[in-house]
């Protein structure tokens, strides 16, 4: 036994022995993480095999770089590289627990926004996470306690080290070849990061993402005016003419958006402990003057709330990686505030967080917003601040004095934030008992949704008392999911049904309600998503969208196409859906095993629409096209600095900007 032990320790004391041990330990923990931390949708033996082997190529290559060092330094570098790879794995684990997605290079560039989410990140971490660093501690212990004793002068010949790196590269291409058999054109025709991780591994995905991000960053410089032609041809051919019954029915009215943070459609009418969770929003949904959509879906990607705003204001999708708000804040846009501003509308955003979050202070200028009332305008005392900023009730109450400064007609957006993961709420503020699923996030989500409902009720009462209610189009919309598919077991209890991939896709419904004074509304079963909000609103206001670059359709139009693309290339229609590459009967939820020509055509069209949207944003193509009658926005005329100033209204102002005095 001692002789065997000595042989093992002698092997580990050599550079290549320690290297092999580190690779094996990293490989095993990565595979365990794949199985326990991520939902990668393994469907067959080939995918399971690829999942097993895909950590090896990157581990061999990157740890192999340490073999160029001599003696003990080689061992130290193996541990350092192992630690860096582990940090990448661990960061993605924590990120995935809420977003059901993987970190991309633009996410890292948006670190300032992620820093604001420290409370949410803390809630996603478990004490068991430390286990993923045990191998690092073990390797360090072998060195520190001299269990392994590297020769200070020993080093592997450079030729052999190059051979190790070549082996890593060869393993990657073998991995890719097998992946292409199961998923042809893996690297060229997917919007879904899950496929890359499943087939090629976490580290290789990060490299792929870095390459794609670099390519995207050069796209603007290479774009020219001819690139916008394909986009124009597409938008004109997919244009849905306004319904004459509703076109212009809201002309000249104020527009008030109420952004319902993380609010999913299932909350509408949902009862818990014998009482409605959101009684006021339920009543608004059923109001005789409200158009309410039961098959309306969020379509956000990694940008979450900022993606929802991008679609809301521009009818363009968010980017496949990161947030366009952060990375495309200097682009040219043809946004709702600018379109309406040139028709005499004042415009403002109200939000209880600071203006730099999601780069809003820059991109709102490109959108043409006259005013931005951020946290600097509000009383951010400790009692009223939670999670992402000012709680919704004091936020709406304090906003009342600012909305009075806007000239009518105005276009205003109120962004709530209390109903945001991890859904913290005190016993004093909770007016409904939590759910009893055993999942803390899901249970308290019900309580913060009730708080949001009460906040909105008070604000709408103010609008009625002030006379704004009957002179305003009021839009309420949910920006993105509140409960991710990582809480499937709890959601099964909430919804009373099995929560599989199909059901999760259906749960991506969010509210979309448009109340137009004096116009009979009703509950609509039309299928649509956030990309469709802008053309729907503009047509109600009497502005035809046929000359604008907008990828959505007017949901009140008789020509609405009723195809809802998701950011990963999946989609939903009234007849069938594609979820995770599989087709389902939308009515029954049963899998469809035969892909029809119509399904293929829809899939190809969805991919084309997403691609064109990306080209518009990545290439900043709207700088090459200005619709007739529209003037490009001049961002230099907007100033959102508060600096302890008070707002007073200049009723005679003609450019829409605010007058601020000490």
């Amino acid at each position: 036994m001692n002789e065997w032990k000595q042989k093992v320790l002698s092997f580990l004391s050599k550079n290549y022995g320690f290297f092999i041990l580190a690779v094996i330990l990293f490989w095993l923990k990565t595979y365990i993480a794949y199985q326990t931390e991520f939902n990668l949708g393994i469907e067959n033996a080939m995918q399971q095999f690829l999942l097993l082997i895909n950590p090896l190529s990157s581990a061999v290559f990157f740890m192999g770089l340490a073999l160029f060092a001599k003696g003990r330094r080689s061992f130290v570098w193996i541990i350092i590289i192992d630690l860096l790879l582990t940090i990448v794995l661990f960061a993605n684990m924590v990120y995935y627990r809420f977003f059901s997605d993987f970190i991309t290079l633009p996410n890292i560039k948006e670190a300032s926004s992620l820093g604001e989410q420290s409370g949410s990140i803390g809630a996603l971490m478990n004490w068991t996470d430390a286990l993923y660093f045990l191998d690092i501690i073990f390797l360090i212990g072998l060195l520190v306690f001299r269990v392994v004793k590297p020769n200070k002068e020993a080093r592997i010949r450079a030729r052999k080290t190059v051979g190790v790196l070549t082996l890593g590269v060869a393993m990657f291409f073998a991995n890719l070849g097998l992946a292409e058999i199961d998923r042809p054109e893996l690297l060229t025709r997917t919007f879904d990061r899950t496929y890359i991780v499943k087939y090629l591994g976490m580290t290789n995905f990060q490299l792929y993402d870095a390459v794609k991000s670099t390519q995207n960053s050069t796209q603007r410089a290479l774009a020219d005016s001819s690139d916008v032609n394909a986009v124009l041809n597409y938008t004109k051919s997919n244009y849905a003419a306004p319904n004459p019954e509703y076109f212009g029915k809201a002309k000249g009215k104020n527009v008030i958006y109420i952004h319902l943070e993380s609010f999913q459609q299932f909350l509408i009418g949902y009862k818990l402990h014998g009482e409605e969770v959101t009684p006021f929003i339920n009543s608004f949904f059923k109001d005789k003057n409200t158009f309410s959509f039961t098959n309306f879906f969020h379509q956000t990607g990694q940008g979450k709330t900022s993606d929802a705003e991008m679609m809301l204001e521009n009818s363009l999708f968010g980017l496949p990686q990161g947030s366009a708000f952060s990375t495309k804040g200097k682009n040219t846009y043809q946004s709702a505030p600018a379109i309406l501003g040139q028709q005499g509308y004042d415009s403002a955003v109200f939000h209880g967080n600071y203006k730099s979050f999601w780069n809003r202070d820059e991109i709102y200028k490109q959108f043409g917003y006259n005013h931005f009332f951020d946290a600097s305008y509000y009383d951010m005392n400790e009692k009223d601040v939670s999670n992402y900023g000012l709680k919704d009730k004091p936020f709406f109450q304090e906003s009342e004095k600012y909305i009075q400064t806007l000239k009518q007609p105005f276009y205003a957006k109120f962004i709530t934030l209390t109903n945001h993961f991890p859904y913290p709420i005190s016993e004093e503020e909770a007016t409904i008992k939590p759910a009893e699923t055993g999942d803390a996030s899901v249970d308290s989500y019900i309580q913060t949704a009730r708080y949001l409902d009460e906040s909105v009720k008070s604000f709408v009462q103010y609008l009625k008392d002030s006379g704004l209610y009957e002179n305003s189009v009021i839009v309420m919309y949910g920006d993105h999911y509140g409960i991710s598919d990582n809480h499937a077991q709890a959601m099964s209890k909430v919804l009373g049904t099995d929560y599989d991939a199909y059901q999760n896709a259906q749960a991506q419904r969010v509210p979309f309600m448009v109340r137009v004074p004096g116009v009979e509304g009703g509950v609509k079963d039309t299928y649509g998503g956030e990309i469709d909000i802008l053309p729907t609103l503009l047509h109600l206001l009497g502005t035809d969208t046929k000359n604008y670059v907008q990828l959505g359709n007017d949901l009140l139009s008789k020509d609405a196409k009723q195809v809802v693309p998701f950011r990963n290339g999946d989609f939903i229609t009234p007849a069938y859906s594609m979820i995770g590459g599989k087709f389902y009967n939308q009515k029954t939820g049963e899998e469809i095993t035969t892909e029809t020509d119509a399904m293929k055509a829809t899939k190809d069209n969805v991919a084309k629409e997403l691609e064109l949207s990306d080209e518009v944003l990545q290439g900043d193509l709207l700088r090459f096209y200005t619709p007739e009658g529209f003037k490009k926005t001049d961002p230099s005329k907007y100033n959102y600095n508060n600096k302890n100033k008070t707002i007073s209204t200049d009723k005679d102002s003609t450019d829409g900007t605010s007058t601020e005095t000490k």
Side-chain angles (χ1 to χ4, degrees):
M1 181 64 72
N2 286 337
E3 183 181 353
W4 178 84
K5 179 179 178 181
Q6 288 300 320
K7 288 183 178 180
V8 170
L9 293 178
S10 176
F11 174 76
L12 295 179
S13 296
K14 295 181 171 61
N15 306 54
Y16 59 82
F18 197 78
F19 160 76
I20 291 172
L21 175 63
V23 167
I24 291 174
L25 292 176
F26 179 79
W27 172 34
L28 290 175
K29 76 176 175 187
T30 303
Y31 183 68
I32 291 170
Y34 285 165
Q35 296 288 5
T36 59
E37 301 288 346
F38 305 106
N39 180 16
L40 298 176
I42 303 301
E43 298 172 358
N44 54 47
M46 172 66 86
Q47 292 179 10
Q48 189 65 256
F49 175 70
L50 290 171
L51 193 71
L52 175 66
I53 67 169
N54 71 39
L56 279 173
S57 62
S58 54
V60 168
F61 181 85
F62 286 106
M63 292 190 201
L65 293 172
L67 298 178
F68 282 113
K70 184 168 60 174
R72 187 181 182 86
R73 282 179 295 177
S74 176
F75 288 62
V76 171
W77 275 109
I78 288 172
I79 293 173
I80 291 173
I81 294 171
D82 191 354
L83 177 61
L84 293 174
L85 295 176
T86 300
I87 289 172
V88 170
L89 174 66
F90 177 70
N92 276 279
M93 284 166 40
V94 174
Y95 189 83
Y96 191 89
R97 287 170 187 167
F98 178 68
F99 294 103
S100 295
D101 204 347
F102 305 96
I103 295 175
T104 62
L105 187 60
N107 289 148
I108 297 171
K109 291 179 180 178
E110 294 152 14
S112 60
S113 293
L114 290 175
E116 297 248 5
Q117 305 178 43
S118 57
S120 300
I121 293 171
L124 295 169
M125 299 177 69
N126 305 314
W127 71 267
T128 54
D129 293 341
L131 298 175
Y132 287 99
F133 293 88
L134 280 182
D135 64 317
I136 307 291
I137 296 172
F138 175 67
L139 293 175
I140 292 174
L142 291 179
L143 273 184
V144 170
F145 296 106
R146 299 186 60 78
V147 177
V148 296
K149 302 172 182 176
N151 187 321
K152 293 182 180 180
E153 300 301 321
R155 70 185 308 167
I156 296 178
R157 289 182 179 178
R159 186 172 60 183
K160 290 186 177 180
T161 300
V162 171
V164 170
L165 301 182
T166 303
L167 174 63
V169 173
M171 293 171 73
F172 168 77
F173 281 105
N175 186 165
L176 178 61
L178 292 174
E180 288 281 352
I181 294 173
D182 195 68
R183 174 77 176 183
E185 299 180 299
L186 173 65
L187 298 180
T188 57
R189 286 186 56 82
T190 180
F191 294 98
D192 194 339
R193 285 168 286 278
T194 299
Y195 286 109
I196 307 296
V197 175
K198 175 167 66 175
Y199 286 108
L200 300 182
M202 183 67 70
T203 307
N204 290 326
F205 159 72
Q206 303 294 167
L207 294 172
Y208 166 82
D209 171 68
V211 171
K212 292 292 291 183
S213 296
T214 302
Q215 290 175 343
N216 291 338
S217 66
T218 62
Q219 194 167 333
R220 186 185 190 280
L222 299 175
D224 60 43
S225 58
S226 64
D227 293 329
V228 79
N229 292 333
V231 182
L232 288 170
N233 291 336
Y234 181 86
T235 55
K236 289 182 183 300
S237 64
N238 284 272
Y239 165 73
N243 187 330
E245 182 180 355
Y246 302 117
F247 184 73
K249 290 296 185 181
K251 190 174 182 65
K253 299 287 187 185
N254 303 314
V255 177
I256 298 175
Y257 274 107
I258 300 178
H259 170 115
L260 304 174
E261 174 63 41
S262 304
F263 196 102
Q264 291 177 241
Q265 178 69 21
F266 80 84
L267 288 167
I268 303 288
Y270 183 73
K271 290 186 176 181
L272 183 68
H273 311 308
E275 56 181 312
E276 291 179 283
V277 173
T278 57
F280 177 74
I281 294 176
N282 295 348
S283 67
F284 189 88
F285 186 87
K286 298 173 184 176
D287 187 289
K288 66 178 182 179
N289 298 125
T290 301
F291 295 99
S292 300
F293 295 85
T294 57
N295 292 309
F296 185 85
F297 295 79
H298 86 85
Q299 298 165 287
T300 63
Q302 288 190 325
K304 290 298 182 288
T305 294
S306 67
D307 281 0
E309 290 190 74
M310 177 61 71
M311 288 181 276
L312 174 84
E313 309 287 19
N314 301 281
S315 195
L316 294 171
F317 292 97
L319 293 171
Q321 300 155 299
S323 165
F325 263 47
S326 297
T327 60
K328 304 301 173 186
K330 296 293 187 180
N331 274 19
T332 300
Y333 294 97
Q334 299 161 10
S335 308
I339 294 171
L340 295 176
Q342 293 170 26
Q343 298 176 19
Y345 274 71
D346 201 356
S347 56
V349 180
F350 301 78
H351 188 36
N353 200 339
Y354 289 95
K355 61 184 179 182
S356 60
F357 190 54
W358 285 130
N359 195 39
R360 287 187 172 108
D361 56 336
E362 293 298 332
I363 201 166
Y364 282 167
K365 295 175 184 177
Q366 303 296 128
F367 288 178
Y369 269 112
N370 294 333
H371 319 284
F372 182 14
F373 299 98
D374 76 325
S376 66
Y377 287 87
Y378 295 89
D379 180 6
M380 304 293 285
N381 64 81
E382 185 176 351
K383 173 177 166 290
D384 288 335
V385 171
S386 175
N387 208 16
Y388 282 71
L390 190 64
K391 296 175 184 177
D392 294 341
K393 288 183 180 179
F395 163 67
F396 278 123
Q397 290 167 3
E398 290 192 50
S399 296
E400 293 173 8
K401 63 188 176 188
Y402 297 126
I403 196 173
Q404 294 170 14
T405 69
L406 302 182
K407 297 183 305 177
Q408 297 193 52
F410 59 74
Y411 176 93
K413 178 169 61 179
F414 294 82
I415 304 175
T416 63
L417 49 72
T418 302
N419 190 47
H420 195 293
F421 182 86
Y423 313 111
I425 189 168
S426 66
E427 290 185 12
E428 295 76 21
E429 291 175 315
T431 58
I432 189 172
K433 293 180 180 178
E436 298 174 346
T437 67
D439 185 314
S441 294
V442 176
D443 293 349
S444 60
Y445 176 65
I446 300 297
Q447 295 177 298
T448 54
R450 163 64 70 82
Y451 178 91
L452 172 59
D453 183 76
E454 294 169 344
S455 307
V456 173
K457 178 181 179 180
S458 297
F459 181 59
V460 170
Q461 186 59 53
Y462 159 75
L463 295 177
K464 292 179 178 179
D465 295 341
S466 66
L468 289 171
Y469 190 69
E470 290 303 328
N471 195 38
S472 303
V473 175
I474 298 177
V475 183
M476 296 189 195
Y477 71 100
D479 62 337
H480 55 72
Y481 64 76
I483 305 299
S484 73
D485 56 359
N486 292 310
H487 303 269
Q489 186 175 357
M491 286 299 290
S492 294
K493 296 178 181 178
V494 169
L495 300 178
T497 182
D498 290 337
Y499 202 71
D500 55 16
Y502 170 80
Q503 289 296 339
N504 178 63
Q506 306 310 309
Q508 303 313 303
R509 286 177 170 86
V510 294
F512 177 48
M513 300 168 278
V514 185
R515 185 187 185 278
V516 183
V519 178
E520 184 177 352
V523 178
K524 307 290 185 181
D525 61 3
T526 307
Y527 276 70
E530 290 161 330
I531 200 76
D532 302 310
I533 292 179
L534 181 58
T536 303
L537 175 71
L538 288 179
H539 284 176
L540 281 169
L541 295 174
T543 299
D544 200 326
T545 62
K546 62 183 177 182
N547 291 324
Y548 287 94
V549 175
Q550 297 178 3
L551 294 173
N553 279 178
D554 176 359
L555 294 180
L556 297 174
S557 169
K558 296 176 181 178
D559 301 325
K561 61 185 178 182
Q562 298 199 70
V563 176
V564 186
F566 294 129
R567 185 56 267 192
N568 64 359
D570 288 346
F571 60 85
I572 286 181
T573 77
Y576 51 83
S577 308
M578 189 181 84
I579 310 298
K582 295 180 179 180
F583 286 96
Y584 296 88
N585 183 305
Q586 179 60 14
K587 297 278 192 285
T588 66
E590 296 178 355
E591 186 176 348
I592 301 172
T593 55
T594 303
E595 181 179 342
T596 65
D597 290 342
M599 292 176 185
K600 185 179 186 305
T602 304
K603 180 173 67 174
D604 291 344
N605 196 62
V606 164
K608 180 178 179 62
E609 188 169 302
L610 291 167
E611 181 181 345
L612 289 173
S613 180
D614 293 343
E615 288 178 5
V616 170
L617 290 175
Q618 299 288 11
D620 190 13
L621 298 186
L622 295 185
R623 62 191 157 127
F624 300 122
Y625 171 72
T626 304
E628 184 179 352
F630 178 80
K631 296 180 181 178
K632 287 186 178 181
T633 303
D634 177 9
S636 66
K637 75 175 186 178
Y638 304 110
N639 181 5
Y640 301 145
N641 292 327
N642 182 13
K643 296 181 180 177
N644 297 317
K645 296 176 182 178
T646 57
I647 301 296
S648 63
T649 309
D650 178 1
K651 297 296 185 182
D652 298 323
S653 176
T654 57
D655 66 357
T657 57
S658 63
T659 300
E660 299 182 329
T661 57
K662 288 282 187 183

